[in-house]
């Protein structure tokens, strides 16, 4: 019960990112991954006034669809995400929760009028995905400029940081993953006794 589900959101045509992302998640968190398409209603997240998609609504749907053997879910979208207080976000996650989402939309070089660079876009996606999953294990933004948990306001911020956690954050990740596994074992034990109901709290989103 400790899979990280990686879920395409919407109509992403190119899936070259899937295998590298699964590898990065397994290497970083030591958790197995499953790539699945969930039945999501992306139209519910669309805000016509802004021409963007509400990332909180996407998170709600991802979490609601998470199978019982999943401890985390990472949605990968190719639409422009927002939260009400910001112009846009590269991704969003629940702090100490199950759900996270990252978008390729503003990671394309073409979005900024620059030549297509598939390798750079993949590198950016891996950083944002690990960043958002880090939040789900209880990590907040890090001040170390090289740490992947460093906050990114602009795409240049993503390019300047590494795809690795600093040592302090790495320790917190280990603790978070260990806690996740303990919860999974506890839930499995209750399920085996036939009286468990799986549920997710909805902690703050960051």
């Amino acid at each position: 019960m400790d899979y990280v589900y990686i879920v395409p959101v919407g109509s992403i045509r190119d899936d070259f990112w899937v295998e590298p992302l699964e590898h990065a998640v397994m290497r970083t968190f030591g958790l197995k991954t499953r790539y699945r398409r969930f039945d999501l209603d992306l139209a519910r997240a669309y805000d016509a006034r802004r021409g963007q998609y509400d990332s909180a609504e996407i998170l709600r749907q991802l979490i609601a669809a998470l199978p019982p053997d999943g401890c985390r879910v990472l949605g990968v979208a190719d639409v422009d995400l927002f939260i009400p207080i910001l112009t846009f976000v590269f991704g969003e996650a629940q702090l100490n929760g199950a759900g996270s989402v990252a978008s390729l939309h503003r990671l394309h070089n073409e979005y900024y009028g620059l030549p297509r660079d598939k390798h750079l876009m993949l590198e950016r996606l891996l950083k944002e995905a690990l960043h958002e999953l880090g939040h789900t294990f209880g990590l907040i933004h890090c001040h170390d400029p090289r740490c992947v948990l460093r906050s990114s306001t602009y795409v240049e911020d993503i390019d300047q940081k590494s795809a690795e956690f600093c040592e302090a954050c790495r320790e917190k990740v280990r603790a978070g993953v260990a806690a996740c596994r303990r919860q999974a074992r506890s839930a499995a034990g209750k399920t085996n006794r036939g009286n468990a109901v799986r549920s997710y709290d909805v902690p703050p989103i960051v």
Side-chain angles (χ1 to χ4, degrees):
M1 299 180 62
D2 54 2
Y3 287 103
V4 175
Y5 274 79
I6 296 175
V7 179
V9 176
S11 55
I12 298 180
R13 288 166 294 180
D14 202 346
D15 62 356
F16 72 95
W17 48 270
V18 176
E19 189 174 333
L21 180 54
E22 288 188 303
H23 179 73
V25 170
M26 286 188 282
R27 175 180 56 80
T28 303
F29 298 99
L31 295 169
K32 293 175 285 187
T33 63
R34 282 186 168 167
Y35 178 67
R36 295 284 190 281
R37 185 172 286 279
F38 289 179
D39 186 19
L40 306 176
D41 183 1
L42 195 55
R44 277 174 44 197
Y46 185 66
D47 186 312
R49 288 181 300 113
R50 300 180 60 132
Q52 293 174 298
Y53 291 80
D54 183 347
S55 54
E57 170 58 29
I58 294 173
L59 279 181
R60 278 190 284 273
Q61 293 188 41
L62 286 168
I63 294 163
L66 183 61
D69 63 352
C71 70
R72 295 292 186 273
V73 58
L74 170 68
V76 179
D78 198 10
V79 297
D80 202 14
L81 301 178
F82 79 94
I83 60 174
I85 61 170
L86 294 176
T87 306
F88 71 91
V89 291
F90 294 115
E92 191 175 7
Q94 290 180 300
L95 187 62
N96 266 325
S100 59
V101 61
S103 175
L104 290 162
H105 186 78
R106 291 179 186 250
L107 304 183
H108 296 278
N109 251 3
E110 301 95 301
Y111 182 84
Y112 305 96
L114 298 171
R116 177 181 169 86
D117 188 333
K118 202 170 178 178
H119 175 75
L120 181 58
M121 186 179 70
L122 175 61
E123 193 173 280
R124 290 168 175 167
L125 173 63
L126 297 186
K127 290 177 184 178
E128 285 308 290
L130 297 178
H131 178 107
E132 299 303 342
L133 280 171
H135 286 315
T136 70
F137 289 105
L139 278 73
I140 59 174
H141 287 147
C142 179
H143 295 297
D144 186 328
R146 297 294 299 160
C147 180
V148 77
L149 247 293
R150 175 86 167 181
S151 177
S152 300
T153 303
Y154 304 104
V155 75
E156 292 86 351
D157 299 330
I158 301 174
D159 294 340
Q160 289 173 3
K161 64 186 180 183
S162 77
E164 306 290 336
F165 290 99
C166 68
E167 187 53 41
C169 287
R170 195 173 298 122
E171 283 301 316
K172 293 175 186 173
V173 165
R174 291 191 190 107
V177 170
C180 175
R181 286 181 163 144
R182 284 194 300 273
Q183 290 169 0
R185 284 195 297 272
S186 174
K190 290 176 182 175
T191 299
N192 290 338
R193 291 196 296 272
N195 59 357
V197 176
R198 185 182 181 85
S199 64
Y200 288 102
D201 296 329
V202 184
I205 293 172
V206 292

